[in-house]
């Protein structure tokens, strides 16, 4: 037993050393491209639709395409790893708030190299993909968040969807009875919590550059007061958006903040009747500013010029007018071109309320670029301090802003 | 080393059989040396590769401005103690340090008290003793992510089974905000970690109890040492070496707990359950400031190392005894 263990150990260490030296000779940097690699974080069934688009696009430019689907949470870690081992894919999909950070590392190439200008795309979409004046990523379809409401519960209570903060507060309180809360949102200590707070903050004139302002404090006060008066569960500090959805589908929340990517999940509950409305501003006249969501397609700096130019063509195809409609439809997204979004919205009422939101939607990284993650952390930190009652909204924002 | 040399002549691996024909005398001391080193080599390579390299790399990283950019360019500017200064200067540092201390002390006390009580209980002979003892290992066998998800569910303020039961028993009217209140969340996380650590404590303490000769108790009972007295004067002194091992290992294991906290609260609400371990994780893998993350984890390693030294000392003394 012991002898064989030692033999195995020697063999293993030799094999390991061989494997380690072998690693460095993995990358190929020359030769005509026959096959391109694409990496995204889509899961089935969406991944299947994207694969079809990749294949068709590949065929149109004369290459075969091999795609890998990575779990969403692991994508950035994988990209960093590939970045250091020089094994980045030819086309890389990124969540739009990550584009500037990855672009700032030098791992992406400007799309203008491949003649992609983003003409006709919504300004928020372009701002999300732009780093230091160059367009690095283009999202064919985008989304945002809105107010979802249970039409049966609201009808029974004689309530129409709220249009102002005051209405949201009174409605939420009126809709709270027994085990049912009036309102649900995600206030978790991750970027998801930040993302859901942004419409309230931005619509009221708050800004991520400095969150220690009366406008942002007012927005945080609204959510805090709903938690304190009991019309929202105290558990929101631990709820991700999927948890919020579970509350809604279980009938434990009459209204919620969520996004169109939940449409397929909601479709599994035929007895649940729901509709969407824009997230209310403080006044009915406030122009809603919602955060822009969605994934961009990028061409990493792989060093292989021939492949990169083909990859540029592939990205152009993935983001063309025809494909963006297909891509939008599978995930409840809205096409990124304003003209095309209007066409789709005309035929799909559920998309319609999002189409108007996306026109004015703001990119999270639009203002701070690679500095966004730090600001996002401050926002959810302040939110948690206020929602748990540890500090007043104003004091919480002040403390978070000052680090 | 001695065991290695005695094994060598009969070893059947190709490298060693080649030498079988040579007489030990002709091979000389030099050859023996080489053989000795060959046997140490796998262990040395293994330790250097999987312990040495990461530790050296982590230490270097903590003195560098290591960000997402570094992965592509390979450049990580040397910043000296800047990462340590930022980390220690941040308002979060004292919170995480206190949380780490409370979490560790709370978990260890809870695990040990319940662990020794159960170990003593299982010394008694009763039906299903063996079955119950193996059932006790279940928390150890479950994947941590799964058990923390279930605990999160059970601890839910509105519809969790724990609050439902407390309400049925009229112990609380509105339910305890287990994971929602910054003042309670750490206690809840400690409770779950105690549950998780009980199997380890019971197993080690039970085997320690088995080693105490039955004759001591028989002799003691003749002198009137029964019940508490027999525990105080027979069990405890004989168990002490095992106890110190359990405690020190427990501290080292608890300091680095990450998954259970991430699964339950993610360090929240309002950083009330953020420990050094979760903070290092967040800095490195959420904010991608790997330099600062490495600095925090090095601080954690130093604290752990301190306890490892205590463990080694205690262990040596136990062996000497």
């Amino acid at each position: 037993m012991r002898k064989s263990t030692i033999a195995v150990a020697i063999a293993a260490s030799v094999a390991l050393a061989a494997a380690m030296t072998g690693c460095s000779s993995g990358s190929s940097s020359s030769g005509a491209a026959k096959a391109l690699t694409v990496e995204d974080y889509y899961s089935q069934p969406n991944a299947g639709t994207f694969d079809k688009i990749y294949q068709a696009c590949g065929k149109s430019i004369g290459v075969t395409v091999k795609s890998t689907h990575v779990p969403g949470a692991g994508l950035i870690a994988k990209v960093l790893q590939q970045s250091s081992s020089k094994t980045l894919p030819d086309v890389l999909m990124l969540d739009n708030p990550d584009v500037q950070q990855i672009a700032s590392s030098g791992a992406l190439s400007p799309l203008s190299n491949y003649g992609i200008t983003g003409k006709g795309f919504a300004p928020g979409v372009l701002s999300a993909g732009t780093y230091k004046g160059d367009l690095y990523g283009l999202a064919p379809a985008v989304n945002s968040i809105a107010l979802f409401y249970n039409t049966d519960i609201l009808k029974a209570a004689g309530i129409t969807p709220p249009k102002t903060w005051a209405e949201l507060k009174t409605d939420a309180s009126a809709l709270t009875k027994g085990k049912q809360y009036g309102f649900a949102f995600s206030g978790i200590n991750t970027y998801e919590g930040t993302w859901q707070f942004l419409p309230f903050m931005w619509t009221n004139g708050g800004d991520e550059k400095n969150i220690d302002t009366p406008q942002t404090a007012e927005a945080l006060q609204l959510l805090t007061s709903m938690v304190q008066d009991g019309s929202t569960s105290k558990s929101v500090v631990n709820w991700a958006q999927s948890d919020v959805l579970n509350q809604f589908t279980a009938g434990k929340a009459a209204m919620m903040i969520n996004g169109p990517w939940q449409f397929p999940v909601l479709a599994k509950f035929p007895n649940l009747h729901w509709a969407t409305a824009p997230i209310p501003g403080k006044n009915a006249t406030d122009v809603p500013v919602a955060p822009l969501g969605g994934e961009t397609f990028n061409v990493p700096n792989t060093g292989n010029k021939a492949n990169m130019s083909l990859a540029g063509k592939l990205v152009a195809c993935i983001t063309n007018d025809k494909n963006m409609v297909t891509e939008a439809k599978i995930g409840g997204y809205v096409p990124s071109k304003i003209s095309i979004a209007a066409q789709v919205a005309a035929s799909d009422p559920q998309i319609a309320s999002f189409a108007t939101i996306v026109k004015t939607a703001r990119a999270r990284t639009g203002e701070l670029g690679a500095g966004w993650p730090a600001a996002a952390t401050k926002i959810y930190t302040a939110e948690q301090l206020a929602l748990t009652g540890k500090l007043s909204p104003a004091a919480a924002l002040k403390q978070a802003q000052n680090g | 080393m001695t065991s290695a040399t005695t094994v060598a002549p009969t070893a059947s691996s190709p490298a060693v059989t080649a030498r079988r024909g040579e007489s030990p005398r002709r091979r000389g001391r030099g050859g023996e040396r080489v053989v000795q080193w060959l046997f140490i080599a796998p262990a040395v390579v293994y330790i250097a590769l999987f312990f040495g390299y990461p530790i050296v790399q982590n230490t270097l990283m903590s003195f560098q401005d290591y960000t997402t950019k570094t992965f592509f360019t390979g450049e990580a500017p040397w910043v000296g103690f800047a990462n340590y200064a930022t980390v220690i200067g941040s308002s979060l540092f004292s919170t995480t340090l206190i949380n780490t201390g409370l979490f560790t002390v709370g978990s260890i006390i809870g695990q040990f008290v319940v662990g020794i009580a159960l170990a003593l209980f299982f010394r008694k002979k009763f039906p299903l003793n063996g079955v119950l003892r193996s059932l006790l290992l279940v928390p150890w066998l479950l994947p941590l992510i799964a058990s923390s998800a279930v605990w999160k569910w059970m601890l839910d303020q509105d519809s969790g089974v724990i609050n439902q039961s407390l309400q049925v028993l009229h112990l609380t009217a509105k339910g305890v905000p287990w994971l929602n209140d910054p003042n309670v969340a750490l206690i809840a996380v400690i409770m779950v970690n105690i549950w998780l650590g009980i199997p380890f404590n019971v197993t080690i303490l039970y085997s320690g109890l088995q080693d105490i000769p039955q004759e001591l108790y028989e002799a003691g009972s003749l002198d009137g040492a029964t019940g508490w007295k027999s525990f105080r004067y027979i069990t405890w002194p004989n168990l002490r070496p095992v106890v110190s091992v359990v405690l020190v290992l427990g501290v080292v294991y608890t300091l680095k707990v990450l998954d259970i906290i991430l699964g339950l609260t993610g360090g929240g609400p309002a950083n009330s359950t953020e420990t050094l371990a979760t903070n290092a994780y967040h800095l490195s893998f959420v904010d991608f400031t790997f330099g600062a993350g490495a600095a925090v984890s090095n601080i954690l390693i130093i604290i752990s190392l301190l306890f490892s030294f205590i463990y080694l000392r205690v262990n040596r003394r136990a062996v000497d005894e």
Side-chain angles (χ1 to χ4, degrees), chain B residues 8 18 24 31 52 123 127 136 177 186 212 234 238 242 257 263 273 279 294 316 320:
Chain B
R123 268 195 103 195
L136 209 63
L186 190 60
I212 302 174
I234 302 171
N238 280 294
V242 179
V257 166
T273 55
N279 188 225
R316 192 184 310 147
D320 290 347

Side-chain angles (χ1 to χ4, degrees), chain B residues 154-177:
Chain B
M154 298 199 302
L155 288 166
D156 186 84
Q157 185 172 357
D158 300 320
S159 45
V161 66
I162 295 177
N163 275 350
Q164 298 278 348
S165 319
L166 291 176
Q167 272 161 338
V168 167
L169 296 171
H170 295 287
L171 288 172
T172 161
K174 289 193 72 184
V176 181

Side-chain angles (χ1 to χ4, degrees), chain B residues 5-37:
Chain B
T5 30
T6 48
V7 171
T10 55
S12 58
S13 67
V16 181
T17 38
R19 300 181 185 279
R20 211 179 253 176
E22 303 173 42
S23 83
R25 200 170 298 161
R26 211 181 324 142
R27 207 170 65 197
R29 286 213 54 85
E32 202 174 319
R33 263 280 137 88
V34 171
V35 174
Q36 285 175 354
W37 277 107

Side-chain angles (χ1 to χ4, degrees), chain B residues 42-65:
Chain B
V44 171
V45 169
Y46 179 82
I47 288 178
L49 218 58
F50 294 104
F51 292 91
Y53 176 73
I55 286 178
V56 170
Q57 184 64 31
N58 199 51
T59 311
L60 286 178
M61 206 188 258
S62 70
F63 293 110
Q64 290 171 321
D65 184 21

Side-chain angles (χ1 to χ4, degrees), chain B residues 203-222:
Chain B
T203 312
I204 308 281
L205 291 171
Y206 180 80
S207 69
L209 287 176
Q210 296 297 93
D211 282 346
I212 302 174
Q214 201 55 44
E215 295 82 43
L216 288 178
Y217 291 99
E218 284 162 14
S221 68
L222 288 179

